[in-house]
Amino acid sequence: MAVPDVSATDHNRIWHAARWLLPAILGVLVAGCSQTVETPPTVTAPPTAAVAPTTTVAPPTEAPTAVPPTEAPTEVLPTPAPAATATASQPVTTEVRLGSAVIRDNFARSDQLFVDLENLPPLEPGKVYAGWLSGYEGVLRRPIGKIPVDADGKAQFTVDAPGRENLLADYDGFVLTIESEPIPDVPAGRVLAWGQVSLNSMEHIRHLLVSSPDTPGQVGLAIGLLQQTEEVVRHAQFARDAANAGDLAGVKRHTEHVILLIEGPKGPDYKDLDGDGQLLDPGDGFGLLPAEGQPGYVQEVADKAKLAGEASFAIEVTKIHSQHVQDAAANTKAWLTQVRAIGLTVFSDQDIAAAADKVQQMVVLAERALNGFDANNNETIEPIPGEGGAKIAYQHSQFLAEMPLVIQQVEMTMPPIAAVDTPTPIPEPTATPTLPPPSPKAASVAMTNFAFVPQTITVKVGTTVTFVNQGQAPHTATGDHQEFSTGIVKSGESRTITFNQAGTFPFFCEFHGGRGGQGMSGTIIVEP
């Protein structure tokens, strides 16, 4: 909107005033000649329009200059309203990834921790990086020890379970701290980064990689898929060896083993297929493919991976590998279905040459079901449709529990200035407005990534502080001297504490910190 031309307005006012004064002056002259004195009317200013109540971001508006009455009232141009300037700022928390930790196979199933880090900042003398496996909602902690960091701020190392135990049975998180030497038995220094798998996802991941209540021997589903597919390959190769030896009966015997492994006891063709009067199943009896009343390893692995990816608070890496496992399982199912279809035709063969050709096809497809197939010729078997097999499904089941390591950064950002396109009309004079009562004093502290964010806050007496658990593990906020306590705050829950006395109140998490600023701790400064 254009700003009014002040000089032009003054000229108009002078012109209108002159038009009014000239007749008055002439009237005085005439009256003087006739010896009759007539008092001219008093010139009064029109009532000034009330100024609109101003906010903290708008400067006061000057009242219009008083002008004498005219034959036609001069239009009062509205004063353009100043643009509203946003002054409030909101904290924005971002995560900077340093690397990841993942549990994988070495001597046994999921018995080795592999950690890959980069961009680690240099430390002051006497300080070192230390690692910790955590489990059971952060209560169980296992020290990994000092982390060797090179001159470029990188670290890559492995740690084997001393008893070759399955680490995924107990652990679902990794914490990176800065400690003083000697490194204590429990974390005492500042938490630099952490990685935590959703506990809801871990329930399904452990069914895949540790144990399942539904399988023979309670073997993990992804482990069972891998082992039983390896057996299919082994017996397909036995059938090929028999064909090469001209042993048609041996071809049919081992082909029967392949069919029984794939179908399981509830399969439609689970019977004495070669007619030798024996039903010898080299499998564990769970079956690979689904049948009526029998889910089979392939479908169960896909279903559990899907549940892990869709679980509450599932992290992004879990969601990504969930789809990878499902795709690899679908590929495995398709190849095993083809193996079964070809194998069922072998039992009617009377010619060893015809049977040998079919057995060779079975071996190729069975090996694809196990190892996968490089369909796009990029020299990599990927976890995509048409490529990954049972080994990829197993490997990416472990990747479901990958623990990305991140640093929390809290930044203050200003929202953009809001421009006002239309002028604000000046209201009629009103009584002095009554300001609304001030909002109650409040502040919040996030419990996340085994740290309080912000770690230190300053508030006024009477402020209510809300502690919000944005992580996966349960936490507490407990005063160092028991001045206050939130009790256990589970993931997604919050607790409030009102501070009615001035002072400095250090606090800590009873699960992950300690008095005196150890581990997960913070401070609330209450001013009068």
Side-chain angles (χ1 to χ4, degrees):
M1 177 177 178
V3 178
D5 187 339
V6 177
S7 60
T9 302
D10 291 341
H11 294 161
N12 288 335
R13 291 171 177 167
I14 293 169
W15 168 246
H16 287 297
R19 292 179 60 191
W20 183 85
L21 290 172
L22 183 58
I25 294 170
L26 292 175
V28 171
L29 294 175
V30 172
C33 295
S34 60
Q35 301 298 314
T36 303
V37 179
E38 184 174 321
T39 304
T42 303
V43 178
T44 59
T48 303
V51 179
T54 59
T55 65
T56 57
V57 296
T61 306
E62 293 184 1
T65 305
V67 296
T70 61
E71 296 176 354
T74 303
E75 177 185 6
V76 179
L77 297 176
T79 303
T85 304
T87 58
S89 61
Q90 295 294 328
V92 176
T93 302
T94 59
E95 293 183 344
V96 178
R97 179 164 174 164
L98 291 181
S100 65
V102 66
I103 293 172
R104 64 187 187 183
D105 293 355
N106 188 23
F107 296 107
R109 298 295 181 191
S110 302
D111 66 332
Q112 184 181 77
L113 173 71
F114 173 69
V115 181
D116 187 11
L117 302 173
E118 61 182 356
N119 301 321
L120 294 175
L123 298 177
E124 60 185 86
K127 297 291 186 179
V128 296
Y129 287 111
W132 315 80
L133 272 172
S134 66
Y136 290 106
E137 300 184 330
V139 175
L140 180 64
R141 284 170 290 197
R142 180 174 186 155
I144 300 304
K146 179 180 177 180
I147 295 177
V149 181
D150 64 19
D152 296 325
K154 296 181 179 180
Q156 190 176 90
F157 64 97
T158 60
V159 178
D160 292 319
R164 299 185 181 180
E165 65 269 24
N166 190 322
L167 294 173
L168 286 172
D170 292 323
Y171 301 103
D172 46 55
F174 184 84
V175 183
L176 179 66
T177 66
I178 299 174
E179 304 288 349
S180 298
E181 292 190 287
I183 298 174
D185 294 333
V186 295
R190 182 168 71 89
V191 174
L192 179 68
W194 76 290
Q196 178 71 48
V197 183
S198 164
L199 299 177
N200 299 310
S201 296
M202 279 304 300
E203 175 186 357
H204 307 296
I205 294 170
R206 288 183 171 124
H207 284 164
L208 288 167
L209 296 167
V210 181
S211 67
S212 169
D214 302 323
T215 58
Q218 296 188 336
V219 65
L221 291 163
I223 297 172
L225 171 64
L226 185 61
Q227 291 175 337
Q228 296 302 295
T229 307
E230 288 173 342
E231 282 297 306
V232 169
V233 172
R234 185 175 294 111
H235 285 272
Q237 292 172 342
F238 289 160
R240 181 185 60 189
D241 294 342
N244 291 338
D247 180 5
L248 185 58
V251 169
K252 294 182 179 180
R253 182 171 66 255
H254 289 297
T255 299
E256 179 184 294
H257 296 163
V258 169
I259 303 301
L260 300 182
L261 276 161
I262 292 174
E263 288 201 352
K266 300 293 180 65
D269 302 297
Y270 192 86
K271 54 190 175 183
D272 180 12
L273 295 169
D274 65 350
D276 67 352
Q278 300 184 80
L279 188 64
L280 301 177
D281 182 0
D284 66 3
F286 195 71
L288 283 161
L289 296 184
E292 186 176 354
Q294 171 186 289
Y297 280 114
V298 174
Q299 192 60 51
E300 281 287 274
V301 166
D303 290 346
K304 287 295 181 181
K306 186 173 186 292
L307 290 172
E310 294 177 349
S312 301
F313 305 108
I315 60 177
E316 188 62 28
V317 69
T318 301
K319 296 176 182 179
I320 292 171
H321 292 296
S322 169
Q323 188 60 55
H324 292 169
V325 175
Q326 292 177 68
D327 288 340
N331 298 336
T332 304
K333 179 180 180 180
W335 285 318
L336 290 175
T337 300
Q338 293 179 62
V339 171
R340 179 180 63 179
I342 294 171
L344 288 172
T345 67
V346 169
F347 302 106
S348 60
D349 286 335
Q350 301 301 318
D351 187 331
I352 189 67
D357 182 62
K358 293 176 181 178
V359 167
Q360 182 57 39
Q361 295 179 51
M362 289 169 53
V363 170
V364 170
L365 291 168
E367 289 179 344
R368 289 185 181 181
L370 176 63
N371 302 313
F373 174 64
D374 182 15
N376 55 15
N377 296 313
N378 67 349
E379 300 183 356
T380 302
I381 296 177
E382 300 166 296
I384 59 176
E387 291 212 1
K391 283 185 177 179
I392 292 293
Y394 175 77
Q395 183 184 51
H396 285 261
S397 292
Q398 291 180 320
F399 291 163
L400 288 170
E402 181 179 351
M403 298 162 275
L405 299 172
V406 298
I407 294 177
Q408 286 287 326
Q409 289 187 344
V410 180
E411 301 174 352
M412 300 299 291
T413 59
M414 293 292 294
I417 295 176
V420 179
D421 295 329
T422 56
T424 302
I426 299 175
E428 294 295 326
T430 58
T432 302
T434 301
L435 296 177
S439 59
K441 290 176 285 188
S444 64
V445 174
M447 300 164 150
T448 179
N449 300 351
F450 301 103
F452 293 104
V453 180
Q455 190 173 26
T456 300
I457 62 170
T458 301
V459 300
K460 296 293 185 181
V461 168
T463 298
T464 296
V465 178
T466 301
F467 294 86
V468 184
N469 189 342
Q470 297 178 354
Q472 302 300 318
H475 299 294
T476 75
T478 305
D480 276 17
H481 305 291
Q482 300 296 317
E483 304 94 331
F484 67 92
S485 178
T486 60
I488 297 176
V489 185
K490 295 182 179 180
S491 178
E493 295 182 347
S494 64
R495 298 288 188 276
T496 59
I497 303 290
T498 300
F499 291 84
N500 293 318
Q501 293 183 349
T504 298
F505 300 94
F507 62 95
F508 66 100
C509 172
E510 294 182 66
F511 289 125
H512 312 110
R515 293 179 177 84
Q518 298 183 48
M520 186 174 177
S521 58
T523 304
I524 296 177
I525 301 171
V526 183
E527 297 179 340

